[in-house]
Amino acid sequence: MTDAPADKQENMATTSHETSESEQIRKKLSIAAERKEAGNTAFKEGDYKTAMRCYHEIFLYISGLDKSKAGAPTPEGTRLLTDEEKTTIKALEMSHHLNLAAIYLKLEKFSKCEAACSSVLKLEGEASNIKALFRRGKARSELGDLDGASEDLTKAGELDSADKNIQREQQILARRLKQHEAKEKKRYAGMFDQ
């Protein structure tokens, strides 16, 4: 051991430990970002299975980094996350859910899409996330939840009135609502004519 006083040795060990924790956090965030890019590439190529795996891996790398408690658990305690790390974790978490939602729409797994979008909308400051509202609205429409779809697509349209995809989906929903109303009218016609 060195001739340094015990308190100085302890401070050196603490600094070394904090540095290794910081390196581990940076490494996890870097790998998660790489998995996101790999998933995006696979998605663009139509390889949804690989993309889904990559997006799930994002979650695996960030799940131990709890931004809500502002720390990363370690055997020696908790190292507080920096604001930049918290922002990166939130962005990766959003990407995880939104990108999975896009895959679920492509694969017509509408319930899973709805759940993934709802997870994004529950994140702090994301109640008005246009992509999540649009994708959830589209999924709800496909599931027959026309009221929920209308609510989501209306809010998305208010947030971005120029988005052609939102406008197109609102038109599709309007046709579905008309068809539903016509069926209901026909179904209940004559029911109260006694």
Side-chain angles (χ1 to χ4, degrees):
M1 198 104 190
T2 68
D3 292 333
D7 62 335
K8 190 171 184 179
Q9 288 177 2
E10 187 175 305
N11 285 342
M12 288 171 42
T14 301
T15 303
S16 172
H17 175 71
E18 287 174 2
T19 301
S20 78
E21 286 178 54
S22 294
E23 288 171 7
Q24 287 177 342
I25 291 169
R26 276 194 296 280
K27 185 175 181 177
K28 284 182 177 185
L29 295 177
S30 175
I31 292 170
E34 289 171 12
R35 301 316 304 149
K36 175 187 166 198
E37 292 308 314
N40 291 348
T41 300
F43 182 86
K44 288 174 188 169
E45 293 171 355
D47 185 358
Y48 302 128
K49 184 177 180 182
T50 299
M52 192 179 299
R53 188 186 74 243
C54 291
Y55 296 144
H56 278 300
E57 288 173 356
I58 293 170
F59 183 76
L60 295 175
Y61 280 100
I62 65 172
S63 64
L65 307 174
D66 190 346
K67 68 190 175 332
S68 66
K69 293 185 180 139
T74 66
E76 292 78 22
T78 299
R79 198 269 280 161
L80 295 180
L81 296 172
T82 66
D83 288 341
E84 181 181 348
E85 290 167 340
K86 290 178 200 174
T87 300
T88 301
I89 291 166
K90 182 180 176 184
L92 287 166
E93 186 175 2
M94 276 190 355
S95 291
H96 161 75
H97 293 298
L98 285 173
N99 292 341
L100 283 175
I103 291 172
Y104 293 142
L105 276 177
K106 292 279 188 188
L107 299 176
E108 298 182 358
K109 295 183 177 189
F110 303 117
S111 293
K112 287 185 175 191
C113 176
E114 180 183 21
C117 292
S118 292
S119 294
V120 170
L121 295 167
K122 289 177 188 172
L123 293 173
E124 183 181 332
E126 294 302 321
S128 296
N129 185 293
I130 295 171
K131 282 184 181 179
L133 288 166
F134 170 74
R135 290 176 185 163
R136 187 172 76 174
K138 191 170 180 173
R140 286 178 165 178
S141 179
E142 293 293 337
L143 290 167
D145 178 5
L146 302 182
D147 291 336
S150 179
E151 184 180 315
D152 287 342
L153 293 173
T154 297
K155 189 169 184 180
E158 289 169 356
L159 294 168
D160 188 355
S161 59
D163 188 305
K164 300 293 183 201
N165 291 322
I166 294 171
Q167 292 172 4
R168 185 182 68 248
E169 201 58 40
Q170 286 174 324
Q171 292 169 352
I172 292 168
L173 178 61
R175 285 193 298 273
R176 283 189 174 149
L177 283 167
K178 278 187 178 181
Q179 290 171 347
H180 177 72
E181 287 171 9
K183 283 181 186 176
E184 290 295 302
K185 200 175 203 179
K186 191 175 182 181
R187 185 169 140 193
Y188 292 111
M191 197 177 225
F192 302 104
D193 292 343
Q194 295 178 8

